[in-house]
Amino acid sequence: MVLKNKAVQLWARRLHIYISMALMLVVLFFAITGITLNRPHLFVSQSPNIVEQQLSLPVELLGSEKGPFTPNRSALIAYLAKHGDVRGTPSAIDIFTDVDGDELVEGEISLDYKGPGYNATVFIDMTTAQATIESTHYGVIAVLNDLHKGRNSGEVWRWFIDITALLMVMFVLTGVCLLIPKKKTFRTSLKWMGLGSAVSLLIYIVAVP
């Protein structure tokens, strides 16, 4: 059998050891945040920290080549990132204007920022070029929980979760590969696997609403 080949066993052992060490802290992270996610009432703050900031904007940011009352999104986002208390991923910009001829009677720009354990809302009064930024911080545990779920964490972190999951699969498969030549241990392991699977299925059938 190919899986019992010495070369295959050697590489399986190496991969099993190296993957386990590479993922040690990552697996601990996902295990611990699994508990904090399952019991948010015990760990997540019920009183988030809300901070409000007032920011004056250059008038030229509120217009662009598209029109005098159509802001340049990239320039506006860059200015807010540099001078405002915001982080995370910005949303699309919503614009409301009431124009009488060439005069702006009323105008507002709004957008949101979202990140792990964090969100912010930005409202800009176009008539005064004043921005109001309201940031909400939910605490460290909320940050870790959102990282566990990949929520508002960016594409790179999502890829990190995917790659980590694949490495965990390899860790399990190489462990099975190492057990196959050890007939007695392998049979005992299969019994434990069957027991664990049966208990999990029973809990799901009996206890899950």
Side-chain angles (χ1 to χ4, degrees), residues 26-45:
V26 178
V27 171
L28 282 174
F29 164 76
F30 281 107
I32 292 170
T33 51
I35 297 173
T36 59
L37 272 171
N38 196 44
R39 304 287 181 180
H41 57 286
L42 297 178
F43 300 100
V44 178
S45 173

Side-chain angles (χ1 to χ4, degrees), residues 80 86 109-113 120-124 131-134:
L80 289 171
V86 293
I109 300 169
S110 62
L111 68 153
D112 297 322
Y113 284 80
T121 304
V122 180
F123 293 102
I124 301 171
T132 300
I133 303 171
E134 185 176 277

Side-chain angles (χ1 to χ4, degrees), residues 15-166:
L15 286 173
H16 191 74
I17 293 171
Y18 297 151
I19 291 173
S20 68
M21 294 308 296
L23 293 182
M24 182 176 68
L25 294 180
V26 178
V27 171
L28 282 174
F29 164 76
F30 281 107
I32 292 170
T33 51
I35 297 173
T36 59
L37 272 171
N38 196 44
R39 304 287 181 180
H41 57 286
L42 297 178
F43 300 100
V44 178
S45 173
Q46 299 301 313
S47 302
N49 181 29
I50 300 175
V51 178
E52 187 173 295
Q53 178 190 12
Q54 299 295 323
L55 181 67
S56 296
L57 303 177
V59 176
E60 57 267 22
L61 287 177
L62 305 182
S64 66
E65 68 279 358
K66 295 180 180 179
F69 309 123
T70 303
N72 183 323
R73 182 182 184 277
S74 59
L76 181 59
I77 295 296
Y79 189 89
L80 289 171
K82 184 176 181 180
H83 301 281
D85 181 22
V86 293
R87 58 182 176 81
T89 304
S91 68
I93 292 177
D94 291 324
I95 307 170
F96 165 78
T97 57
D98 181 7
V99 180
D100 184 6
D102 293 331
E103 183 180 351
L104 180 67
V105 177
E106 186 179 358
E108 183 181 82
I109 300 169
S110 62
L111 68 153
D112 297 322
Y113 284 80
K114 292 186 181 298
Y118 167 89
N119 63 61
T121 304
V122 180
F123 293 102
I124 301 171
D125 186 335
M126 297 179 70
T127 61
T128 62
Q130 290 291 313
T132 300
I133 303 171
E134 185 176 277
S135 305
T136 305
H137 303 261
Y138 294 93
V140 175
I141 298 299
V143 173
L144 298 178
N145 286 349
D146 281 353
L147 288 174
H148 182 111
K149 295 182 289 185
R151 183 185 181 207
N152 301 322
S153 304
E155 189 62 28
V156 173
W157 185 261
R158 282 195 287 270
W159 274 105
F160 173 76
I161 292 176
D162 291 341
I163 293 169
T164 298
L166 290 173

